[in-house]
């Protein structure tokens, strides 16, 4: 199986930035597209961003477009989510997920493999 481990979350002041990482192991990482999702307490899991297997195509949710950036380094088996200009609405548990194939998806049902999440908490 493909294992995913998120890291990089933490407590940050409003307006601050973090770089979240999703490290993969167990399979050929370059064959998987990867998405980031987040879930705040009492809410559903929300799509944030996704990237194709090669890194040549990305999709970013409108709610975070212009502030969040997704990228990947297949040589390091890692996908990143740079989160900037954070506000209280960004407080959530952030998950990365992977699906086999080159094309990304914004639908959580399309992703087979999930990490355990990394917490981002924004203080005002």
């Amino acid at each position: 199986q493909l294992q995913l481990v998120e890291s990089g979350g933490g407590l940050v002041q409003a307006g601050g930035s973090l770089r979240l990482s999703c490290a993969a192991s167990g399979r050929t990482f370059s064959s998987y597209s990867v998405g980031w999702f987040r879930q705040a307490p009492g809410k559903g899991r929300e799509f944030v961003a996704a990237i194709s297997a090669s890194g040549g195509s990305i999709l970013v949710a409108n709610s975070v477009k212009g502030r969040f950036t997704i990228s990947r380094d297949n040589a390091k088996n890692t996908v990143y989510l740079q989160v900037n200009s954070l506000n209280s609405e960004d407080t959530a548990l952030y998950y990365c997920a992977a699906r086999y194939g080159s094309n990304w998806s914004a639908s959580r049902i399309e992703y087979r493999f999930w990490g355990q999440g990394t917490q981002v908490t924004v203080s005002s």
Side-chain angles (χ1 to χ4, degrees), residues 6 28 38 40 42-43 49 70 74 87 93-95 98 109 112:
E6 302 95 335
T28 303
R38 66 185 183 183
K43 297 183 178 180
I70 188 170
N74 285 343
N87 57 63
L93 186 64
Y94 284 72
Y95 299 89
I109 196 69
R112 178 177 179 181

Side-chain angles (χ1 to χ4, degrees), residues 21-81:
S21 297
C22 175
S25 62
R27 300 283 180 85
T28 303
F29 181 63
S30 60
S31 298
Y32 292 83
S33 59
V34 175
W36 282 94
F37 296 79
R38 66 185 183 183
Q39 187 166 15
K43 297 183 178 180
R45 195 164 296 186
E46 175 191 19
F47 171 76
V48 176
I51 189 167
S52 63
S54 68
S57 180
I58 64 171
L59 177 67
V60 181
N62 290 333
S63 60
V64 300
K65 184 169 287 186
R67 298 189 297 118
F68 290 12
T69 302
I70 188 170
S71 62
R72 69 190 295 162
D73 186 343
N74 285 343
K76 296 183 178 180
N77 290 347
T78 302
V79 170
Y80 304 98
L81 184 69

